[in-house]
Amino acid sequence: MTTSSNDRIYIHEVIDIRGHHRADYVHHMAANWSPLAQETRDQKLFGMWSVLGTTGPWPKVVNIWEERGFAGLASSFAGEAVGPGAQDPALERWWAKANEFRSGGFDRLVTPAPWSPTIDELCASGAGGAAYAHETIAVRPGANWDFLDLVRERAVPVYAEYGFALVGAFATTMVDDDECILVWSIPTWDAWARFEEGHLPAGAPALRDWRAWSSDLVTARHRILLVDAPLSPFRTGRQPTRADRTDWTE
C-alpha cells in the first residue's frame, strides 16, 4: 500500500525507559497523550514499539508521530515552547507522570518518501506484523533521496520474497542529508529467521545483490527488531481514543 504524495512530517523518538516501566510508559503515552494530541495538535500516532533488547539497546521504546507537515509541527512547537522549561505548562502533571517511566531519549524529524504510506492508509490496508525491522542507514552526504529511490526499486521486491512489507521510508532532516530510516513489517518469526539466514555468506544471492547495488551510497547499516505496543495502530487498526485513557493524575 503506497501513497502518491505523502506530505506529512514525522517525529521519530527513541525513549530511554526507567527500570521495568516500559509497559507503563507505552500505555501512558498512547492512551493518555495520543487522544489529546489528536484533538489539540492534529498529531497522529504512526507507531509505538518496544525494542527487542537482544537486537539493540534496552530498555527502549521507539515512537513515530505523524504531523501535518512543517506548518503543523510549527504550530505544535509554538504551543509547547511557552513555559520556563520549554514545556507547555498545561501539561505539567502529564510530564511529571511520564517522568516516572522515562529518563530521556533522542528525537529526529524525518521526511517521508512521497510514496511512503500514511498511518491512515496503513490501517485501511490492514498492515501489521509479528515484528518489525527498523533499519538506520547512513549514506553519503546528499544521497538520502537517491537511496530511498533505490529502496523502492530494488529492496522492496527483494524483501518481499520473505514477506517483509515496507511501512515507512524516511530521510532524516536537519542533518547532512546522510541518514535514512526504514521500517518493515515482518509476517512471522520464521520469516525473520529466513531473512537473516539470507545475509550469511552462503545465503541468498538477491540479498547480496541488494547490498552491492546500494554499496556506492551506503556507509553504514544498523537493523534492530521492534514489537508493537498494545495500542499501536499497527496492532489495533485505529488511533487511540479517549476510551483508552486511564486516570493518571493520582
Side-chain angles (χ1 to χ4, degrees), residues 185-205:
S185 65
I186 305 172
T188 65
W189 287 107
D190 286 343
W192 170 77
R194 291 189 297 105
F195 175 78
E196 294 299 339
E197 288 168 353
H199 286 85
L200 297 175

Side-chain angles (χ1 to χ4, degrees), residues 39-84:
E39 295 168 9
T40 62
R41 305 186 182 195
D42 200 16
Q43 178 194 78
K44 293 184 178 180
L45 177 60
F46 181 84
M48 181 174 291
W49 302 272
S50 295
V51 176
L52 192 62
T54 305
T55 68
W58 57 274
K60 303 282 187 182
V61 168
V62 172
N63 304 322
I64 302 180
W65 303 94
E66 188 175 276
E67 304 281 347
R68 293 179 295 106
F70 280 110
L73 188 56
S75 178
S76 293
F77 285 168
E80 180 176 325
V82 294

Side-chain angles (χ1 to χ4, degrees), residues 164-248:
F164 284 39
L166 186 62
V167 296
F170 308 103
T172 304
T173 191
M174 299 180 73
V175 294
D176 199 14
D177 295 338
D178 59 355
E179 183 181 79
C180 294
I181 291 176
L182 307 175
V183 182
W184 307 83
S185 65
I186 305 172
T188 65
W189 287 107
D190 286 343
W192 170 77
R194 291 189 297 105
F195 175 78
E196 294 299 339
E197 288 168 353
H199 286 85
L200 297 175
L207 286 169
R208 290 199 303 271
D209 288 345
W210 159 240
R211 292 182 70 92
W213 288 327
S214 56
S215 62
D216 288 345
L217 301 177
V218 174
T219 61
R221 310 170 195 254
H222 186 199
R223 183 168 55 256
I224 60 176
L225 291 179
L226 309 177
V227 180
D228 275 323
L231 290 175
S232 176
F234 284 97
R235 175 170 289 188
T236 64
R238 62 173 176 83
Q239 290 291 302
T241 70
R242 283 184 172 269
D244 298 310
R245 297 183 71 178
T246 55
D247 184 2
W248 50 269

Side-chain angles (χ1 to χ4, degrees), residues 54-173:
T54 305
T55 68
W58 57 274
K60 303 282 187 182
V61 168
V62 172
N63 304 322
I64 302 180
W65 303 94
E66 188 175 276
E67 304 281 347
R68 293 179 295 106
F70 280 110
L73 188 56
S75 178
S76 293
F77 285 168
E80 180 176 325
V82 294
Q87 296 174 357
D88 184 348
L91 297 177
E92 181 177 354
R93 288 190 301 168
W94 183 92
W95 276 92
K97 189 66 176 180
N99 192 54
E100 297 178 16
F101 310 139
R102 65 185 182 186
S103 59
F106 178 79
D107 288 11
R108 301 170 172 88
L109 294 179
V110 296
T111 304
W115 43 268
S116 188
T118 66
I119 190 54
D120 287 347
E121 292 171 323
L122 288 161
C123 287
S125 70
Y132 301 80
H134 178 289
E135 296 188 303
T136 304
I137 311 293
V139 299
R140 290 188 290 100
N144 51 359
W145 296 111
D146 291 336
F147 173 75
L148 290 178
D149 287 342
L150 195 63
V151 166
R152 187 184 194 188
E153 177 186 354
R154 299 283 194 170
V156 167
V158 171
Y159 281 47
E161 295 179 15
Y162 300 89
F164 284 39
L166 186 62
V167 296
F170 308 103
T172 304
T173 191

